[in-house]
Amino acid sequence: MTRSSHTDEREAHPPGEPDNAEQADNAEEADERRQSAELFRDLRTSPSGLSSREATRRQLIYGPNVLTRSGGRRWPGELLSQFTQPLAILLALAAVLAWAGGTPALSVAVVAVILLNAGFAFVQEMQAERAVEALAAFLPPTARVVRDEVRCEIAARDLVPGDILVVSEGDRVCADARIIEGTLTLDLSSLTGESLPVTRSPEPSDDTGSLLEAHELVFSGTTCSGGEAEAVVTRTGMHTELGRIAALSQRVHTERSPLETQVRRATWIIAVVAVVIGAAFLPIGVAAGLGWSAAIGFSIGLIVANVPEGLLPTITLALAAGVRELAAGGAVVKRLSGVETLGSTTVICTDKTGTLTENRMRVTRLWLAGGEMDADRAVHEPRAALLAASAAACTTAEAPTPAQPQGSGDPTELAILRLAEELGVAVEPARRKAARRTIFPFDAHLKRMSTVNDEAGATTVHTNGAPEAVLPCCTHLLDPRGKRVELDAALRGELSATIDGYAASGLRVLAIAHHVLDDGQQAPAERSAAESDLTLIGLVAMADPARDGVAEAVRDAHLAGIRIHVITGDYGLTAAEIARQVGIGHVGSPVLAGDVLDRMSDKDLDELLSRREEIVFARTSPEAKLRICEALRARGEVVAMTGDGVNDAPALRHADIGVAMGKSGTDVAREAATMVLTDDNFATIVSAVDAGRRVFDNVRKFVLYIFAHAVPEVVPFLVFALSGGHIPLPLTVLQILAIDLGTETLPALALGREPAEPGLMSRPPRSRKTGVIDRALLFRAWAFLGTISAALVMGGFLFTLWHAGWHPGDPTGSGTPLHQAYLEATTITFVGIVACQIGTAFAARTDRASLFTVGVWTNRLLLWGIAFELAFTAAVVYAPPLQHIFGTAALSPAQLAVVAPFPLIVWGADEVLRWVRRHRDATRDATLDTSVTSRLVEGRTAQQAG
């Protein structure tokens, strides 16, 4: 992050926070990287700290050292939004009209539908925005400071700029500060994404770039893993780096997923059509001789028939099933719509450490004089054992134990300890501590560490660090016979070439050296004396290896048309090499450092992203990550963004799908994300994309299934109206509700669990504009399946009345001779629609393929759903209490035989339609292939003739 961006974020602190103008002004004057004396002057403090009275005064000016949250409780709005959905509004209107029309039972039933759907959706969707609370919990409750020239412990919220903060091993820093005395080893991974600890000391650096890389600064939310220091507090609360990230996290808003947008648009269309039709046929009903009460009931029937009441609950339940399935596979999705959004993903922006890699450093290669070897083949090499023992002696980490399976300390040192154990020279922490006389801790400027140990009656200096830092201290080399030989120019050239080769392979290299003191020689007290006249034992090359299965997952993502960008806080070359190893990008793919990205204009960034290349973004700041996400989304991409640190929270919230790490991630990242990976594995993201695509396809399947029944439900009302009442109403409103909420619900849910059709992950990602409801689906649902079903059920209705001696215009009301026949005829209509539902359910299982290719009996849930459908229908038809409620009558076997063929007719017609489509597509593809081949032959012929 640049200085200017830091200033911008500080000026944009959230509303509701104390203005703290003095803190901002002082911060402008008191550049944290200036000399300590100047900083003390600007902050009006001293190494002795503040007095209690002065600290209290500053507390009133600067406010408490806490992270504030803008806005209040959001759940009332979330709950209210469930009742402002188009279908909910339409159903509410229908309920009011039903009550006004004298049918309170129908009104109560419709209201129950509204409440159940809204309550279920609210419980599933409501995720309180707890990112800022998680950030606040990231800070410790107390801090040690120097007040009134005495060290004491105070509440962390009482810290103010100018306080002298005391930080030691194990502490979590609770404000931004500049070190004035002592040296610390800090874990900055939560802010920078860099997995390796860094050293911070009072000596100022010449670096004028990112504050996070300044050698003398420490930051709120980071953890001290070693050392002790005093630091003067420069920023508190929302003005810290952590506060800046909290402000970014609150600045972005959750947007609707593509499915939510499309369903909302479609439901508005359905609502408008239903209201228009209902209003248009109200005067028609009156003209047909109905009273106003009956005409209103007739219009309500049309509205209810047009509204797929089960659509929203079925979509919600299908997405909930997808959530459960993903959770079983290691991906916990916190928002239902996130399942579908995953299926729309066109770009995955992934971190490197812990996602593509194991986040576990491992020694892979050893260099010893005379050659190199794989680490796992060095068991019988004495010099390899000496190399590992010397390196392990010069560590402070503790190897994994049953009580602490992950171990503790620097990942590089843990890798060295693991190597020593594998080579039979493991170092126990107690023995290591007892043998150690002096330690010169790792220094970020010197890039090396040394210890002086008593070993087997001799005093030995052990040194390890970066090769460029250790080699200048070495005068000799341990040759293949174990003898010391002079480290001449030729050997140094060989070492340089080896080191360059390791670096090009993305390996981290350490040089290991020692110096055995002569008998009687005093142990060196100064670092410069200890780190001189060393003998190089060899080199250790280690890597954070790629996870198993990641390369295959990357290949699957590419096959699915998904691009992958790596956005990491690590070094560019290392990240690029890991990316290349797993198949992301290629040799020569762009590698963009954070400072270069900061200087790049939006137009240049858009042009870079439009090249369809996969890019490695290294050393990125939170703003840069957010900027990349916004640029991709502005191009119409659906972005899945991974992250694990506090610094990732803004981008995780702003992406279409924020993916946090469950094992290594912070609580802040998990709260900000839509999906949490319990196994931290990139391959799980690709599996989730596959599940998301399957969910979207299945949503289309049950939408087709539900929409297909609108036609046979609406047509009876149209026939009644257009005939002027001469043909009695073939279906009642309560029978429609019995279909929409009773018989169709379980089969629709079963279609939501349909296995994927072949080639699902071979398709390119669908566009954001691709609707779940499109013309092809509506044609198949309404013009084809719906029309066939409507013709069948109306035929069954009229045949039943005709068979009983009915003629158009004959009365069928209660008390008339034809009333029983009318009840049987409406029951035939009801049962006929259910029978057509069964045929539609089997037809909807595939979009293009034949049902026989996926298997008739492979979806057992659908079979159970159809069994329930038949049982429910039988109860409505034959149970006397339900006959009275729904207006049905028992059917004879002969009447049942009329509707028995309906499922086969509906499914068979659709099977023929799909065969025609497949044949047409195959012919078109064959013609295209022939055309391409002809052009190639013509081109080759012309080339040969030329």
Side-chain angles (χ1 to χ4, degrees):
M1 181 194 66
T2 62
R3 175 70 177 169
S4 61
S5 65
H6 182 82
T7 303
D8 293 342
E9 290 304 330
R10 183 177 58 254
E11 292 172 353
H13 64 277
E17 183 191 350
D19 191 10
N20 300 349
E22 183 175 344
Q23 179 171 353
D25 293 341
N26 286 348
E28 279 299 322
E29 299 172 3
D31 187 334
E32 296 93 324
R33 288 176 286 195
R34 300 174 71 180
Q35 294 293 329
S36 299
E38 297 178 6
L39 195 61
F40 287 141
R41 179 198 65 200
D42 295 336
L43 290 172
R44 298 192 297 280
T45 186
S46 71
S48 300
L50 302 173
S51 66
S52 298
R53 180 177 297 178
E54 174 64 14
T56 302
R57 187 187 72 83
R58 295 191 183 196
Q59 181 80 17
L60 295 175
I61 297 171
Y62 300 143
N65 178 37
V66 296
L67 303 183
T68 59
R69 174 177 176 174
S70 62
R73 292 182 296 177
R74 302 180 185 179
W75 70 263
E78 293 284 346
L79 181 59
L80 180 62
S81 68
Q82 304 302 326
F83 295 99
T84 57
Q85 299 284 345
L87 291 187
I89 294 173
L90 187 60
L91 289 174
L93 175 62
V96 171
L97 292 176
W99 187 275
T103 52
L106 174 60
S107 179
V108 170
V110 174
V111 169
V113 172
I114 298 171
L115 293 176
L116 286 173
N117 182 62
F120 186 81
F122 173 72
V123 170
Q124 290 290 336
E125 289 285 353
M126 182 55 190
Q127 289 291 336
E129 300 294 343
R130 297 190 297 269
V132 177
E133 284 83 347
L135 280 164
F138 211 64
L139 297 177
T142 61
R144 285 180 297 143
V145 297
V146 178
R147 288 270 177 93
D148 300 315
E149 302 185 5
V150 176
R151 286 193 178 187
C152 59
E153 189 169 286
I154 64 170
R157 63 180 287 117
D158 294 336
L159 274 177
V160 292
D163 262 326
I164 302 300
L165 179 66
V166 181
V167 182
S168 59
E169 183 175 351
D171 289 346
R172 180 164 283 175
V173 183
C174 43
D176 289 3
R178 186 199 190 282
I179 296 177
I180 58 175
E181 181 181 336
T183 300
L184 297 175
T185 302
L186 289 177
D187 178 3
L188 296 181
S189 59
S190 61
L191 293 180
T192 66
E194 173 60 66
S195 58
L196 298 176
V198 298
T199 301
R200 294 291 183 256
S201 59
E203 293 78 17
S205 61
D206 297 330
D207 186 10
T208 58
S210 170
L211 289 178
L212 293 174
E213 297 181 6
H215 296 158
E216 66 275 25
L217 302 183
V218 297
F219 301 95
S220 179
T222 60
T223 304
C224 176
S225 57
E228 181 173 320
E230 291 186 356
V232 58
V233 175
T234 57
R235 302 186 191 278
T236 58
M238 294 300 289
H239 295 281
T240 62
E241 291 293 307
L242 199 64
R244 179 177 59 83
I245 293 170
L248 284 173
S249 297
Q250 297 181 84
R251 194 172 301 172
V252 295
H253 303 283
T254 302
E255 298 183 5
R256 293 190 184 97
S257 74
L259 178 62
E260 289 173 316
T261 301
Q262 293 153 13
V263 170
R264 191 176 183 87
R265 184 185 302 117
T267 50
W268 273 117
I269 294 173
I270 293 170
V272 171
V273 170
V275 170
V276 169
I277 292 176
F281 280 93
L282 181 61
I284 295 177
V286 174
L290 299 175
W292 277 103
S293 177
I296 290 174
F298 167 74
S299 295
I300 291 173
L302 271 178
I303 292 174
V304 173
N306 273 283
V307 175
E309 293 88 351
L311 178 60
L312 292 181
T314 305
I315 289 177
T316 302
L317 289 170
L319 294 178
V323 166
R324 289 193 297 273
E325 180 183 343
L326 287 173
V332 178
V333 179
K334 296 162 57 179
R335 195 174 71 238
L336 287 182
S337 58
V339 179
E340 180 273 333
T341 308
L342 278 164
S344 310
T345 300
T346 60
V347 174
I348 298 175
C349 295
T350 180
D351 197 357
K352 177 188 73 68
T353 304
T355 309
L356 300 180
T357 66
E358 297 178 357
N359 196 20
R360 184 172 179 264
M361 298 295 288
R362 185 167 60 197
V363 177
T364 58
R365 302 285 291 169
L366 303 178
W367 182 92
L368 300 166
E372 57 179 316
M373 65 185 69
D374 291 335
D376 55 2
R377 297 182 180 178
V379 178
H380 302 296
E381 171 56 57
R383 286 184 301 149
L386 177 63
L387 176 76
S390 178
C394 191
T395 60
T396 57
E398 295 191 10
T401 62
Q404 195 172 26
Q406 302 300 322
S408 64
D410 180 75
T412 302
E413 292 191 356
L414 289 172
I416 289 173
L417 294 177
R418 196 175 300 113
L419 174 68
E421 182 179 3
E422 292 170 355
L423 297 184
V425 289
V427 176
E428 297 179 4
R431 289 175 51 198
R432 181 181 59 189
K433 183 177 180 180
R436 184 170 295 166
R437 296 179 59 176
T438 309
I439 180 171
F440 301 103
F442 180 80
D443 185 279
H445 301 289
L446 298 176
K447 297 182 180 179
R448 59 180 181 261
M449 170 184 177
S450 297
T451 61
V452 182
N453 291 14
D454 287 332
E455 298 174 351
T459 301
T460 305
V461 177
H462 299 282
T463 300
N464 70 43
E468 65 271 21
V470 174
L471 289 178
C473 302
C474 297
T475 57
H476 293 81
L477 172 69
L478 207 63
D479 72 1
R481 297 169 298 172
K483 303 294 185 181
R484 294 177 73 229
V485 297
E486 184 181 354
L487 189 56
D488 56 22
L491 288 173
R492 290 184 186 275
E494 180 184 345
L495 280 166
S496 179
T498 302
I499 293 167
D500 289 345
Y502 287 150
S505 300
L507 299 178
R508 177 177 171 82
V509 185
L510 293 181
I512 313 299
H514 73 177
H515 180 198
V516 182
L517 274 61
D518 296 333
D519 292 341
Q521 186 177 353
Q522 291 292 329
E526 300 293 331
R527 184 167 199 149
S528 58
E531 295 174 345
S532 63
D533 195 25
L534 298 176
T535 300
L536 180 68
I537 305 175
L539 303 176
V540 171
M542 60 185 69
D544 184 4
R547 282 179 174 270
D548 291 338
V550 168
E552 292 79 5
V554 168
R555 186 175 63 248
D556 291 343
H558 287 161
L559 185 65
I562 300 172
R563 277 189 301 157
I564 304 169
H565 298 310
V566 177
I567 306 179
T568 177
D570 288 349
Y571 292 104
L573 291 178
T574 303
E577 176 58 24
I578 291 294
R580 187 195 62 78
Q581 290 176 11
V582 299
I584 300 174
H586 53 81
V587 177
S589 290
V591 179
L592 206 66
D595 56 347
V596 177
L597 178 62
D598 290 340
R599 294 193 298 269
M600 184 177 286
S601 68
D602 289 343
K603 181 179 179 181
D604 291 340
L605 178 59
D606 291 342
E607 182 180 347
L608 178 66
L609 294 173
S610 68
R611 295 178 189 171
R612 311 299 299 175
E613 288 188 288
E614 294 181 326
I615 306 167
V616 173
F617 296 94
R619 290 299 193 189
T620 51
S621 65
E623 293 91 345
K625 205 165 189 177
L626 195 57
R627 185 184 175 200
I628 294 166
C629 179
E630 289 175 340
L632 288 167
R633 297 184 77 242
R635 299 188 66 255
E637 307 283 4
V638 179
V639 181
M641 176 78 71
T642 73
D644 56 6
V646 175
N647 61 323
D648 295 319
L652 290 176
R653 286 200 62 201
H654 196 56
D656 296 284
I657 288 290
V659 183
M661 303 299 109
K663 287 184 177 179
S664 60
T666 60
D667 290 340
V668 179
R670 287 192 285 267
E671 290 295 347
T674 306
M675 182 171 78
V676 179
L677 301 183
T678 58
D679 56 2
D680 290 10
N681 196 340
F682 177 86
T684 305
I685 302 175
V686 180
S687 298
V689 170
D690 177 68
R693 289 190 175 190
R694 186 171 70 254
V695 166
F696 181 83
D697 275 8
N698 290 347
V699 167
R700 282 179 56 88
K701 290 173 184 177
F702 65 66
V703 167
L704 168 72
Y705 169 77
I706 290 172
F707 276 26
H709 309 140
V711 177
E713 290 175 359
V714 170
V715 165
F717 288 88
L718 299 181
V719 169
F720 167 74
L722 294 175
S723 69
H726 286 81
I727 297 177
L729 192 63
L731 195 65
T732 68
V733 174
L734 284 178
Q735 286 172 355
I736 291 175
L737 287 177
I739 293 169
D740 290 351
L741 300 177
T743 63
E744 84 175 9
T745 302
L746 287 185
L749 288 175
L751 287 172
R753 304 299 297 274
E754 185 70 28
E757 287 191 53
L760 178 67
M761 286 295 282
S762 299
R763 308 176 195 165
R766 68 180 183 275
S767 167
R768 279 181 177 272
K769 298 178 181 179
T770 301
V772 67
I773 303 170
D774 56 18
R775 292 181 180 178
L777 184 144
L778 293 178
F779 171 82
R780 189 178 172 198
W782 290 344
F784 190 74
L785 292 171
T787 300
I788 293 173
S789 299
L792 290 173
V793 297
M794 284 305 301
F797 173 79
L798 294 173
F799 174 78
T800 303
L801 285 179
W802 174 80
H803 191 266
W806 169 86
H807 296 87
D810 290 349
T812 58
S814 179
T816 63
L818 291 173
H819 182 62
Q820 181 63 27
Y822 170 70
L823 292 179
E824 292 174 358
T826 58
T827 304
I828 284 285
T829 304
F830 170 71
V831 175
I833 292 177
V834 172
C836 290
Q837 279 182 327
I838 295 173
T840 302
F842 282 106
R845 289 189 59 193
T846 59
D847 185 44
R848 292 296 180 94
S850 169
L851 177 62
F852 299 108
T853 62
V854 298
V856 177
W857 315 110
T858 51
N859 190 339
R860 294 183 180 273
L861 288 176
L862 179 61
L863 300 179
W864 283 109
I866 290 173
F868 169 82
E869 187 175 20
L870 293 174
F872 180 83
T873 302
V876 170
V877 172
Y878 293 104
L882 296 181
Q883 287 177 341
H884 176 71
I885 294 173
F886 291 100
T888 58
L891 299 180
S892 67
Q895 291 171 322
L896 290 176
V898 173
V899 299
F902 287 6
L904 288 175
I905 294 172
V906 172
W907 165 76
D910 192 74
E911 189 74 23
V912 172
L913 176 65
R914 281 179 277 122
W915 179 86
V916 171
R917 286 180 174 177
R918 290 196 304 272
H919 181 72
R920 181 191 61 196
D921 292 345
T923 303
R924 182 187 59 198
D925 293 342
T927 303
L928 181 61
D929 291 342
T930 302
S931 176
V932 171
T933 302
S934 299
R935 287 199 299 269
L936 287 174
V937 172
E938 290 173 2
R940 290 174 182 171
T941 303
Q943 186 178 14
Q944 292 171 359

